Amino acid sequence: MVNMHTKEVVCVHVDKGRKHDYRVFKESRLPILESTEVQLDSGYQGIQKKYSNSKIPHKGKKKSPLTKQQKKENHQLSSTRVVVENIIRTLKIFRILA
């Protein structure tokens, strides 16, 4: 987890081998407060059933493409999440998560 305001890494949970992001999250049993807004990527499909304060991008389908509003929401979410992705990249470059 990363504090979006300070760009500070608050919590890290890693696992061996190849595992789905959401599965690693569930196994970590990390408590999420209701007052905390959680912004995630599409690897966490299904988390909104358990945590209503989570935001993941909308998924478009062939027969029902995304609306302009959904595209706008996805763009806003990705523009704030890029900070987190850059921090993860830095941690990987310096082999902190290796």
Side-chain angles (χ1 to χ4, degrees):
M1 294 181 112
V2 176
N3 183 325
M4 298 295 285
H5 301 292
T6 62
K7 299 180 184 175
E8 179 179 50
V9 178
V10 180
C11 176
V12 175
H13 185 85
V14 294
D15 209 333
K16 283 183 155 183
R18 293 172 43 162
K19 261 190 192 175
H20 196 274
D21 293 344
Y22 187 41
R23 182 175 175 192
V24 173
F25 171 75
K26 287 193 292 189
E27 290 175 358
S28 74
R29 297 179 185 244
L30 182 67
I32 304 291
L33 301 174
E34 285 294 321
S35 59
T36 305
E37 181 182 289
V38 184
Q39 296 181 352
L40 305 159
D41 60 18
S42 57
Y44 292 85
Q45 293 294 318
I47 195 169
Q48 289 177 318
K49 294 175 186 171
K50 188 171 182 180
Y51 299 103
S52 60
N53 55 337
S54 60
K55 291 187 175 183
I56 57 173
H58 300 283
K59 288 180 76 176
K61 297 176 183 155
K62 189 173 185 177
K63 292 188 178 183
S64 59
L66 294 177
T67 64
K68 287 184 180 183
Q69 180 62 31
Q70 289 173 323
K71 287 181 182 181
K72 184 178 178 181
E73 290 171 7
N74 281 355
H75 182 73
Q76 289 171 342
L77 181 62
S78 66
S79 63
T80 56
R81 276 204 35 82
V82 73
V83 173
V84 176
E85 296 298 336
N86 288 337
I87 292 170
I88 292 170
R89 177 183 165 271
T90 303
L91 295 173
K92 287 181 177 181
I93 287 172
F94 292 108
R95 300 191 191 277
I96 294 170
L97 297 179

